[in-house]
Amino acid sequence: MKKQLIPVLAGLLAGVLVATLFFAEFTTYGPYSTAGVNSAAEKVYVPLGEHDDYYLIASGGHSGQLYVYGIPSMRRIRTVPVFTPDPATGYGFNQKTKEMLGGYTWGDFHHPALSLTEGEYDGKWLFATDVANNRIAVLDLKTFMVKDMLKVPNTGGPHCSAFVTENTEYIFLPTRFSVPFGHEYASLDDYEKKFKGVMSAVTFDEETQKLELAYQVALPPYSYDVADTGKGISADWAVITTYNTELATTDLEINASQFDRDYLVLFNWRELEKKIEQGEYDLIDGIKVIDPLKHKGGIYLVPAAKSPHGVDVTPDGKYFISSGKLAPLLTVFSFEKAFEAIEKEKFVDEKFGIPVLDYESVMVREVNPENALGPLHTTFDDQGYAYSSMFISSEVIKWNYETGEVVDRVDVHYSPGHLVAAEGDTKSPKGEWLVSLNKMAKDNFLSVGPSHPESMQLIDISGDKMEVVLTVPVDPEPHYAQIISADKINPIHVFEKDEGRPNSVWRQEDARIERKGNEVHVYGIAMRSKYIFDANAKRKDVIEVEEGDRVFIHLTNIDLDQDITHGLGISDYDLTMEIQPGETVTLEFTADKAGTYPLYCTNFCSALHQEMKGYLLVKPKK
């Protein structure tokens, strides 16, 4: 018996040793058992073939793209093109996406916002805003593809958006820069009179999958920074931070930091909606505009600590918390106190037709964690705790927003901006995980030259003490992200075969090339491992046109198998497209160069992928 136990015990001992070597964490993250049961590595390990528990939907900053990660592994799953062309997927090259981008070659994607139903993520849509070129886009989370994009007028960078109301009735887009209506020329000496901080209310129709500008509000010419919508008792309300209430027009570093207090804008979007219904607006260039100087009510200013940055509504909808940025204060305000102050007209001033509420009548408490500097953003868990980023002291503070008590703090590396907790923007946060989106990563990774990556750090918040468990590099610049349970998103893998779809071809014998004057329409198919552009031609994988022709290649991928994506790249014509299984995509161009141009599948599709090719032949003009 003893002889039989020896190999068993030896095996167990070897297992423990291997587990310790592979999974034990020897850094300063905290104590772990020798068996590696609680190691940081083990917490984030997702075995091959299994999936993460959450999606992290992160803005790609001035890349204009969306980054999708899995949590807890923090594996970057996909870069999804939104505001910038992407050769890898042909986004911005094919007819539909090229028109949608409107000629812009870059965007600055700051804040993603998932659609909500009853204050919870419903996993259906994602809204994105472009600070650089004043656009809003909507992505269908069944395909992670952009369905519509809207250019928003009278706006100078919708930095604090998008933020979505409790049932996605509206997506609001306040502006960062105030500009004159129509972006008309105006002297900065006329800033106070002619410039406006326009906030746009956009609606989304799920049936038509179209975005529409419902109305705009001409707010004072301040800078609007970050925003959030109410929940539950405050569901009809939203709040925005402002700075530069000094109305500075140059050297803002100094001139926009003069006042000890700036404002939060508190507004009731139901009341604004009613004003529109009752005709209480001006029509400017065909847009319904509410000017608080003419149409009073529904909008209020709340004094807040110097140059507030983030403002976040608690999951119960009772409080909104602003972060001072230039004051080491987290201020907790009460919606119920604000409602009472409005009802009793506890106003201390008026700015641009908007009443200023008495600070003491709305404020509940100021929280000033010892030596914590640069509060920026706050998110929440399922236990009544708030987590706030401290940009200057490079740490995350965990505190009780009902009492103001600070219960824990952890260093991050370095200079955290936004924080995002699992479903932390909803009425039912999940707790478990928090991600710190850090602005600096100096010395954290192997150098790739003077351009540094930035970083995201995954923090386990399931226990009493926060624990940093993983650090990953990320392309500049992570602004904001949201975390949604993986089981709420149900992507398709193959487009449904639709024989009635315009320009689609599903049978090889139907592939054809039709000439209409100087237009050439190619109705082709892509399949493993060839193209058929013209079923009746001697060489079916050749497109022959004349110099100067306008060419439309309508290509359908008839491989209805998961992960069988085809591409089409045309050499020396700067053209590329990607066609997902069951999808039909159109590529439009002018054949302005005579000659012989190889074309080929750009996306590996089979063992005979190299054989999937043909030619574009452009006959010279006679």
Side-chain angles (χ1 to χ4, degrees), residues 63-198:
S63 77
Q65 315 297 42
L66 171 73
Y67 302 149
V68 182
Y69 290 78
I71 287 181
S73 74
M74 293 299 288
R75 293 176 295 191
R76 185 159 157 180
I77 299 169
R78 189 72 171 169
T79 296
V80 178
V82 181
F83 293 116
T84 304
D86 176 34
T89 57
Y91 184 81
F93 290 80
N94 64 53
Q95 187 180 29
K96 180 181 176 184
T97 55
K98 197 173 182 179
E99 288 175 1
M100 213 158 39
L101 288 176
Y104 290 102
T105 58
W106 78 292
D108 192 359
F109 178 8
H110 271 230
H111 297 139
L114 291 157
S115 57
L116 297 170
T117 299
E118 299 297 328
E120 308 288 353
Y121 297 148
D122 55 27
K124 294 160 69 176
W125 309 98
L126 176 76
F127 303 98
T129 49
D130 172 15
V131 173
N133 297 308
N134 306 313
R135 293 174 291 175
I136 177 172
V138 57
L139 285 79
D140 184 348
L141 293 179
K142 285 183 179 174
T143 59
F144 282 77
M145 291 179 173
V146 177
K147 300 303 291 188
D148 193 27
M149 194 173 295
L150 179 70
K151 176 81 172 168
V152 182
N154 306 320
T155 299
H159 180 272
C160 47
S161 56
F163 62 99
V164 178
T165 53
E166 198 170 57
N167 285 295
T168 320
E169 295 94 340
Y170 290 97
I171 308 107
F172 285 101
L173 293 84
T175 190
R176 175 182 176 184
F177 297 93
S178 292
V179 293
F181 273 98
H183 288 258
E184 291 182 355
Y185 169 80
S187 168
L188 287 167
D189 291 337
D190 296 327
Y191 186 80
E192 183 173 346
K193 184 178 178 183
K194 293 188 175 179
F195 287 63
K196 295 292 182 183
V198 169

Side-chain angles (χ1 to χ4, degrees), residues 277-476:
E277 291 171 357
Q278 295 174 347
E280 296 183 47
Y281 59 82
D282 298 324
L283 203 60
I284 302 177
D285 294 331
I287 300 168
K288 298 170 184 172
V289 178
I290 298 172
D291 186 338
L293 280 168
K294 301 177 183 176
H295 309 289
K296 295 182 182 297
I299 307 174
Y300 306 90
L301 296 176
V302 180
K306 198 180 187 76
S307 296
H309 187 63
V311 63
D312 300 279
V313 175
T314 55
D316 55 18
K318 293 168 62 178
Y319 308 105
F320 50 104
I321 299 168
S322 78
S323 302
K325 192 171 80 173
L326 298 186
L329 282 180
L330 295 154
T331 311
V332 181
F333 297 95
S334 163
F335 274 108
E336 288 182 333
K337 292 186 72 173
F339 301 159
E340 183 180 349
I342 292 167
E343 185 178 351
K344 294 181 177 177
E345 298 188 348
K346 291 185 176 180
F347 305 142
V348 295
D349 199 354
E350 182 177 296
K351 298 289 185 184
F352 297 88
I354 305 174
V356 180
L357 291 168
D358 173 44
Y359 176 74
E360 296 293 340
S361 298
V362 185
M363 186 270 295
V364 176
R365 66 180 54 85
E366 295 174 342
V367 180
N368 186 0
E370 186 178 6
N371 297 326
L373 297 173
L376 288 186
H377 297 282
T378 298
T379 189
F380 308 94
D381 70 7
D382 57 342
Q383 302 295 317
Y385 290 108
Y387 299 79
S388 298
S389 59
M390 298 290 164
F391 179 81
I392 295 174
S393 55
S394 285
E395 59 183 328
V396 175
I397 303 291
K398 177 181 178 181
W399 57 287
N400 186 321
Y401 60 80
E402 290 282 6
T403 64
E405 180 191 9
V406 175
V407 298
D408 193 24
R409 51 205 301 173
V410 66
D411 292 339
V412 293
H413 309 89
Y414 305 92
S415 303
H418 280 282
L419 298 177
V420 54
E423 308 214 351
D425 289 335
T426 71
K427 293 165 75 172
S428 309
K430 301 295 183 186
E432 292 191 79
W433 300 110
L434 175 78
V435 173
S436 176
L437 290 84
N438 305 324
K439 300 294 187 185
M440 304 289 176
K442 189 165 78 173
D443 297 335
N444 276 350
F445 309 106
L446 287 172
S447 174
V448 290
S451 178
H452 283 56
E454 287 156 2
S455 77
M456 292 196 290
Q457 290 189 290
L458 182 68
I459 303 173
D460 178 359
I461 58 170
S462 61
D464 292 336
K465 302 288 288 182
M466 293 182 285
E467 181 186 7
V468 177
V469 293
L470 189 62
T471 302
V472 297
V474 58
D475 290 346

